[in-house]
Amino acid sequence: MTPHRVAVLAVDQVVGLDLGTPAQVFSTARDAADAHFYTVDTCTPGGRPVRSTAGFRVLPDHGLELLEQADTVIVPGVHGDATLRPDVIPAEVTGALRAAYDRGARIMSICTGAFVLATAGLLDGRRATTHWAYADRFRRLHPRVDLDPEVLFVADDRVLTSAGVAAGIDLCLHVVRTDHGSEVANQAARRCVMPPWRDGGQAQYIERPVPQAPDTSTATAREWARQRLHEPVSLRDLAGQARMSVRTFTRRFRAETGLSPAQWLLHERTDHARLLLESTDLTVEQIARRSGFGTTAALRQQLHLRIGVAPSVYRRTFRRTPESADTR
């Protein structure tokens, strides 16, 4: 197996955390023999050092020629002039990005890296996102982009953008899941000590008040529901597990997760169905029941809405044999 080649393109004033995110996430995606699915390398214009926002300089191993061989190109977040004046992004950078896209590479940005993609013209007419705090500035500089600052990440064909900081991890895990299925992505998330899945449509900015006491959180109700995905679970049931009124529970649930209880439960059931399709020989009808959808039609509809394919197609794409399942 030839690993998928990921190139991380750093420009001046690169955000330090964003720079390290792709290597950290993609290096944890491995097969049963511990072979890596991805290789990750970093480049800069001319292979020259660039400044980071974290008080250190980046000394890369490659110049922009790395983008000529990459299967995926990722631009981490940037601060400073790059988010104020598009003309500070070197023409050699924007040209290399456009050339990579034109030859079929997947192009991604983390946080304010979207400013670089927009300067290259790769986001014109596309839906995209960036850090919510930069939304107004982004719209002024790049009015031809359909900016959605409310979500964690956006996948528009081969161009993917994410919000700030941790949302870059969410996007990388989404790519691993798209490329290799839920089981590989979940294990990568576990190695990173990260939640396995936050949906791209989840809100960026979520109020998370510090609980006054253990019983003010909805976490117990969420875990209770996860153990009963195959059963009918009502909003009243969930509120009862949290010992709250329905109104209070709904408000706190959304504050903690960014989703309504119904949306969250639907996502959990869909993710459980995906895992069963990958890792078991159960029929689609059995998986629909065990995931709480009841009918194959309901499962098929939801899977198509979330990832655009039927259950049988998803299984053929991501089915792993017992010999290949990594249980570590």
Side-chain angles (χ1 to χ4, degrees), residues 274-298:
R274 291 168 70 172
L275 186 59
L276 292 177
L277 285 167
E278 295 174 29
S279 58
T280 74
D281 293 319
L282 295 171
T283 66
V284 174
E285 184 179 4
Q286 289 171 320
I287 290 172
R289 290 199 301 268
R290 292 196 182 193
S291 302
F293 287 105
T295 67
T296 56

Side-chain angles (χ1 to χ4, degrees), residues 85-226:
R85 296 168 36 221
D87 60 295
V88 305
I89 304 297
E92 60 180 329
V93 169
T94 57
L97 284 169
R98 287 194 296 269
Y101 176 78
D102 288 344
R103 66 170 178 79
R106 178 168 54 197
I107 309 294
M108 299 166 53
S109 67
I110 299 175
C111 193
T112 49
F115 281 82
V116 181
L117 298 193
T119 300
L122 293 175
L123 300 183
D124 286 353
R126 294 185 183 275
R127 181 169 170 261
T129 193
T130 189
H131 193 294
W132 61 268
Y134 288 80
D136 291 342
R137 185 184 305 179
F138 188 96
R139 287 193 176 106
R140 286 196 301 271
L141 292 175
H142 304 290
R144 294 163 69 178
V145 180
D146 180 13
L147 185 71
D148 185 352
E150 300 295 329
V151 298
L152 293 180
F153 60 82
V154 172
D156 188 327
D157 192 24
R158 287 186 290 113
V159 180
L160 301 89
T161 53
S162 70
V165 194
I169 302 176
D170 292 312
L171 178 58
C172 290
L173 287 172
H174 165 77
V175 168
V176 173
R177 180 173 286 103
T178 300
D179 290 350
H180 299 288
S182 297
E183 189 173 357
V184 173
N186 290 351
Q187 291 183 19
R190 184 180 180 187
R191 290 187 177 106
C192 293
V193 197
M194 280 290 297
W197 174 258
R198 289 199 299 170
D199 188 80
Q202 184 167 318
Q204 281 192 38
Y205 186 67
I206 305 169
E207 291 187 11
R208 299 181 185 275
V210 177
Q212 298 297 316
D215 62 355
T216 62
S217 171
T218 63
T220 300
R222 294 199 299 275
E223 186 55 36
W224 177 86
R226 286 192 184 99

